[in-house]
Amino acid sequence: MRIQGRTDIPLNHAGREQAVDAVGALRRYDWDFLVSSPLSRAAETADVIAAGLGLTVTQRIPSLVERDYGLAEGLGAGAELEALRESGGTTGNGGFRGAEPEGDVADRGVDALRMLARDNPGARIIVVSHGTLIRLSLMRVLGRPIPTIDNAALTVAQSGPGGWTLDVLNGEVLEPATPSSV
């Protein structure tokens, strides 16, 4: 229950179990390959999933790292974290002084997704990344709020000629929606 951000914290036992469990949900689809964040917790998750599905991790993409929370990284709820909160509402930093602006996080996540879609037309790619990056990137391409992304939960988004669609969020199949043109 601490803010991890870009701090390269290794995957723990619970995370390994979540990665193994994720393989079952991912088996419902046909996948071509995996990419991941280079942070060790995401990279190991991708390796576990790849082994379980008989696939290959083809890239560790630096722009898929989690948001940099600055001085808030490593902190849990309490006075020290509260002292870093920005007052006066939304400033683009998501509430913490010195944090990477949410818009910058969304930009690099969307850039990575667009690059993958451009370089691999029609490919079904598993992207193993981090909750905040995933949530902010989806909000940008879909143009709507997205709730917290659960650890090792299946979220399926598609890029097509009509834009982006979100088919599964945190393991829950969604009703078909109109694609976003972002």
Side-chain angles (χ1 to χ4, degrees):
M1 298 306 293
R2 295 185 181 276
I3 296 175
Q4 293 179 354
R6 284 195 187 173
T7 303
D8 199 6
I9 297 167
L11 194 62
N12 62 20
H13 179 71
R16 283 183 203 94
E17 287 181 347
Q18 290 172 337
V20 169
D21 291 345
V23 170
L26 290 163
R27 277 197 178 115
R28 290 183 246 151
Y29 300 88
D30 291 322
W31 302 103
D32 296 307
F33 61 90
L34 288 86
V35 300
S36 78
S37 157
L39 292 180
S40 63
R41 61 191 186 265
E44 186 176 347
T45 299
D47 292 344
V48 168
I49 291 169
L53 296 174
L55 295 173
T56 302
V57 179
T58 61
Q59 294 180 66
R60 309 286 188 201
I61 302 174
S63 58
L64 292 176
V65 298
E66 181 60 293
R67 182 181 185 200
D68 182 350
Y69 282 94
L71 296 174
E73 289 196 17
L75 299 179
E80 192 176 4
L81 183 62
E82 289 306 312
L84 294 173
R85 285 208 187 272
E86 293 183 328
S87 59
T90 304
T91 63
N93 282 346
F96 298 109
R97 285 193 312 275
E100 179 182 14
E102 289 182 341
D104 291 357
V105 177
D107 286 345
R108 64 183 169 77
V110 170
D111 287 349
L113 292 174
R114 285 184 176 144
M115 180 262 315
L116 287 165
R118 180 194 69 230
D119 293 351
N120 305 282
R124 296 182 61 102
I125 307 164
I126 298 171
V127 179
V128 180
S129 188
H130 308 275
T132 300
L133 179 120
I134 295 167
R135 183 179 61 80
L136 294 173
S137 299
L138 288 174
M139 287 172 57
R140 173 69 55 85
V141 297
L142 297 169
R144 65 180 175 93
I146 299 293
T148 299
I149 301 296
D150 297 336
N151 284 345
L154 179 65
T155 295
V156 178
Q158 294 187 57
S159 172
W164 288 87
T165 58
L166 184 61
D167 302 324
V168 179
L169 179 64
N170 287 328
E172 299 293 325
V173 176
L174 304 176
E175 294 294 321
T178 305
S180 164
S181 61
V182 176

